[in-house]
């Protein structure tokens, strides 16, 4: 039995996944069209330096930089179309789903065994709806709203739980006491997590109005802004709870007046480090039925007014939306696929050859529990397990319970009991002695070691087609 995984993912975590799933599977690798080493690569820029410069200079202030958003979106769309031509037409999720069947056929395997996280759940749901007869095992973990992905000009649900994760970070910090340095930034401490939360919220509000200038030397200088701190520090750290102690340490130093740690850690673009091509732009825009000429609004002022009218789901990050909406309105490459998602109750439930398994965190940063429940309701006989933790995807925190449900499903086809929930086997702010778990069998100890390894590295990057495994 073959289990396939994005090439970058298998290089970084293949051994850990092998430990987690057991020895019954051969891990395979593939990159979707346009990604990494595929030819032609989804690129709108001639060099990596040009791409990095574009990412660094992205406008975020809808009120004062709308003109810049509009101009960059228009020029960027033209650059993508000019660079890729008709090759860009076929970089989309339905095409990748069809390509997965070609891989299965090439290795002589009839049925699909798949585990997708983050964007991999978009791909997994698409595959299961296009080719339900070939599904043997399919896990979607950290689940996107498929209906919004294909049909909504603006994604509204994805940030539904973002602030809950941010405030979860603050609450877990407060509960950790001296193990979290944020608790010591005020002389007399904090009497409740809500007090610490208010203190940090007020700091961020003041930072929005008055960025903090920083000069370390003649090559390291600039300013700490709210947008930079949130976009390059707080938001990406919330994906991975194992990064929370480092985030807390940098924030604590900043709140005490020491700007150096936060400036050095968060002054460069987070996206610039993880995006090596424009696959995200192509896939999101090419999948959606309401981009480009089919967008509901076009032009500088109409898009600005439209964006202003969108309810802010997240106090932390919603205010930085705008450029993504201008880009979708300006997109000039046509949608060439003919896939339309079927979500219950608007459509009958999809019946796959074997039932799928849906896994979700209670508080997922960008793929909320509500989205997972909609997917669960749309596949006949599906199973569901909720992992009560923060982050993004179940592997962001080690859980023996979740891992055993997933392994049993793959090995035996057994779904979790109705209403299944799982806790985690780790701490958000661990002490110097690490895990307090001591009464573990040798098998569980080995499994926990694999899970801790997976939680320690950013496996499922936002909207990355490599965030999936399939067999």
């Amino acid at each position: 039995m073959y289990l396939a995984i994005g090439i970058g993912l298998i290089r970084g975590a293949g051994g850990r996944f092998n430990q987690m799933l057991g020895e019954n599977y051969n891990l395979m690798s593939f990159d979707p069209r346009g990604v990494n080493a595929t030819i032609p690569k989804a690129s709108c820029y001639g060099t990596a330096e040009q791409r990095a410069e574009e990412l660094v200079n992205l406008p975020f202030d809808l009120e004062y930089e709308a003109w810049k958003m509009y101009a960059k979106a228009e020029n960027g769309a033209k650059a993508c179309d000019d660079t890729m031509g008709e090759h860009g037409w076929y970089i989309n999720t339905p095409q990748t789903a069809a390509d997965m069947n070609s891989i299965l056929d090439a290795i002589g395997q009839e049925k699909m065994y798949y585990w997708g996280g983050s964007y991999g759940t978009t791909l997994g749901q698409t595959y299961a709806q296009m080719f339900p007869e070939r599904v043997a095992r399919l896990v979607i973990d950290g689940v996107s709203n498929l209906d919004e992905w294909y049909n909504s000009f603006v994604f509204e649900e994805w940030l539904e739980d973002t602030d809950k994760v941010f405030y979860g970070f603050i609450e877990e910090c407060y509960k950790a006491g001296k193990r979290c340095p944020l608790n010591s930034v005020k002389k007399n401490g904090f009497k409740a997590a809500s007090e610490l939360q208010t203190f940090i919220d007020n700091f961020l509000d003041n930072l929005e109005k008055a960025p903090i200038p920083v000069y370390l030397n003649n090559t390291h200088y600039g300013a700490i802004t709210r947008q930079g701190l949130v976009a390059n520090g707080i938001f990406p750290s919330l994906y991975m709870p194992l990064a929370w102690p480092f985030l807390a340490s940098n924030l604590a130093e900043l709140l005490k007046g020491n700007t150096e740690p936060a400036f050095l850690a968060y002054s460069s673009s987070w996206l610039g480090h993880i995006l090596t091509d424009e696959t995200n732009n192509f896939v999101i825009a090419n999948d959606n039925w309401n981009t480009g000429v089919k967008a509901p609004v076009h032009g500088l002022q109409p898009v600005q007014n439209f964006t202003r009218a969108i309810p802010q789901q997240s106090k932390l990050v919603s205010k930085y939306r705008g450029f993504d909406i201008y880009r979708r309105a300006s997109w000039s490459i046509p949608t060439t696929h003919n896939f339309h998602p079927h979500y219950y109750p608007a459509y009958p439930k999809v019946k796959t050859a074997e039932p799928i398994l849906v896994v979700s965190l209670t508080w997922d940063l960008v793929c909320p529990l509500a989205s997972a429940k909609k997917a669960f309701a749309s596949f006949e006989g599906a199973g569901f397990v909720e992992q009560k933790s923060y982050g993004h995807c179940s592997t962001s925190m080690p859980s023996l319970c979740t891992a055993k449900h997933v392994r049993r499903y793959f090995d035996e086809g057994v779904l979790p009991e109705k209403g299944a929930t799982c806790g985690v086997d780790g701490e958000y702010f661990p002490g110097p002695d690490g895990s307090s778990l001591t009464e573990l069998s040798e098998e569980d100890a080995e499994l926990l070691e694999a899970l801790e390894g997976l939680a320690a590295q950013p496996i499922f990057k936002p909207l990355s087609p490599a965030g999936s495994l399939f067999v």
Side-chain angles (χ1 to χ4, degrees):
M1 198 72 66
Y2 286 90
L3 189 102
I5 190 174
I7 289 175
L9 188 55
I10 201 170
R11 285 175 176 163
R16 299 297 189 187
F17 275 111
N18 190 60
Q19 280 181 279
M20 178 182 173
L21 293 166
E23 298 295 332
N24 295 328
Y25 307 97
N26 298 306
L27 301 184
M28 290 182 57
S29 298
F30 91 106
D31 280 329
R33 296 184 183 208
V35 178
N36 295 332
T38 59
I39 300 172
K41 189 174 183 178
S43 177
C44 304
Y45 305 103
T47 66
E49 289 73 24
Q50 288 178 322
R51 177 179 300 105
E53 184 179 348
E54 284 295 312
L55 290 172
V56 167
N57 295 318
L58 285 181
F60 286 94
D61 192 323
L62 181 68
E63 191 66 29
Y64 298 104
E65 296 184 298
W67 63 272
K68 189 183 292 185
M69 293 180 181
Y70 175 70
K72 271 186 171 288
E74 290 284 320
N75 292 336
K78 184 177 186 305
C80 292
D81 201 353
D82 290 346
T83 303
M84 295 297 294
E86 291 191 12
H87 293 296
W89 296 12
Y90 304 102
I91 299 174
N92 59 57
T93 301
Q95 185 63 64
T96 297
D99 290 342
M100 288 160 60
N101 272 350
S102 298
I103 297 174
L104 281 187
D105 294 341
I107 62 174
Q109 182 168 307
E110 176 61 28
K111 298 291 186 180
M112 176 65 74
Y113 284 63
Y114 177 98
W115 183 0
S118 194
Y119 167 79
T121 69
T122 303
L123 179 56
Q125 291 179 82
T126 300
Y127 181 89
Q129 293 201 6
M130 289 177 65
F131 309 107
E133 73 284 355
R134 297 197 73 165
V135 173
R137 304 284 187 273
L138 190 141
V139 176
I140 49 175
D141 179 355
V143 185
S144 69
N145 183 322
L146 201 68
D147 182 54
E148 274 200 348
W149 181 270
Y150 284 98
N151 295 324
S152 296
F153 176 58
V154 174
F155 302 157
E156 296 188 16
E157 192 170 82
W158 72 297
L159 296 176
E160 184 174 295
D161 289 341
T162 300
D163 287 354
K164 294 176 185 176
V165 178
F166 180 44
Y167 295 139
F169 157 74
I170 295 172
E171 182 165 348
E172 293 296 333
C173 168
Y174 178 78
K175 290 193 297 187
K178 293 180 179 180
R179 297 197 305 277
C180 179
L182 282 168
N183 289 308
S184 64
V185 297
K186 200 169 83 167
K187 185 175 180 181
N188 298 321
F190 300 94
K191 296 179 181 179
S194 58
E195 190 178 329
L196 175 58
Q197 175 186 317
T198 300
F199 189 85
I200 294 174
D201 281 343
N202 289 341
F203 173 80
L204 292 175
D205 288 343
N206 291 331
L207 190 62
E208 183 83 69
K209 302 168 189 172
I212 302 172
V214 179
Y215 182 90
L216 303 181
N217 53 48
N218 60 4
T219 59
H220 291 83
Y221 58 89
I224 295 177
T225 65
R226 185 191 188 280
Q227 181 273 319
L229 182 62
V230 169
N232 300 327
I234 295 174
F235 187 69
S237 297
L238 295 178
Y239 277 86
M240 291 178 57
L242 265 66
W244 288 10
F246 181 68
L247 172 64
S249 176
N250 290 335
L251 288 179
E253 289 300 309
L254 181 59
L255 288 164
K256 290 187 288 188
N258 179 10
T259 58
E260 183 173 346
F263 182 77
L264 291 177
Y266 308 134
S267 59
S268 61
S269 169
W270 170 59
L271 286 175
H273 291 300
I274 68 170
L275 295 183
T276 59
D277 55 45
E278 280 65 64
T279 307
N280 283 8
N281 299 354
F282 279 90
V283 173
I284 292 172
N286 287 352
D287 280 2
N288 197 277
W289 285 103
N290 292 293
T291 54
V293 295
K294 295 182 180 179
V297 287
H298 297 91
L300 174 58
Q301 195 65 51
V303 174
Q304 184 184 42
N305 293 340
F306 179 91
T307 306
R308 282 172 173 162
I310 299 171
Q312 282 203 354
Q313 286 187 308
S314 168
K315 180 181 178 182
L316 183 68
V317 297
S318 284
K319 65 177 63 184
Y320 303 123
R321 302 197 69 178
F323 178 64
D324 58 328
I325 299 172
Y326 274 105
R327 183 162 53 198
R328 290 178 201 177
S330 301
W331 194 249
S332 57
I333 296 175
T335 298
T336 59
H337 67 81
N338 59 6
F339 175 73
H340 293 271
H342 286 190
Y343 257 18
Y344 181 83
Y347 296 91
K349 294 187 177 186
V350 177
K351 180 174 176 57
T352 49
E354 299 291 342
I356 73 166
L357 174 60
V358 180
V359 181
S360 178
L361 304 186
T362 305
W363 305 281
D364 192 295
L365 185 70
V366 291
C367 293
L369 183 62
S371 297
K373 289 182 176 179
K374 289 175 182 176
F376 166 68
S378 299
F379 288 91
E380 187 174 315
F384 193 95
V385 59
E386 177 183 341
Q387 180 173 303
K388 292 187 172 296
S389 63
Y390 302 98
H392 180 46
C393 301
S394 67
T395 54
S396 62
M397 278 294 283
S399 171
L400 290 169
C401 169
T402 302
K404 288 178 179 179
H405 278 305
V406 171
R407 180 185 283 185
R408 191 179 182 200
Y409 168 71
F410 273 117
D411 287 348
E412 305 172 35
V414 176
L415 295 169
E417 67 279 5
K418 185 177 180 180
T421 60
C422 287
V424 295
D425 299 293
E427 297 176 284
Y428 293 97
F429 292 89
D433 298 327
S435 174
S436 60
L437 294 174
T438 55
E439 302 296 324
L440 292 177
S441 67
E442 183 178 348
E443 182 181 358
D444 280 357
E446 290 179 357
L447 179 55
L448 182 59
E449 179 187 10
L451 296 172
E452 289 172 339
L454 291 174
Q457 56 187 71
I459 293 171
F460 297 120
K461 294 175 182 176
L463 306 184
S464 168
S468 59
L469 307 100
F470 88 91
V471 193

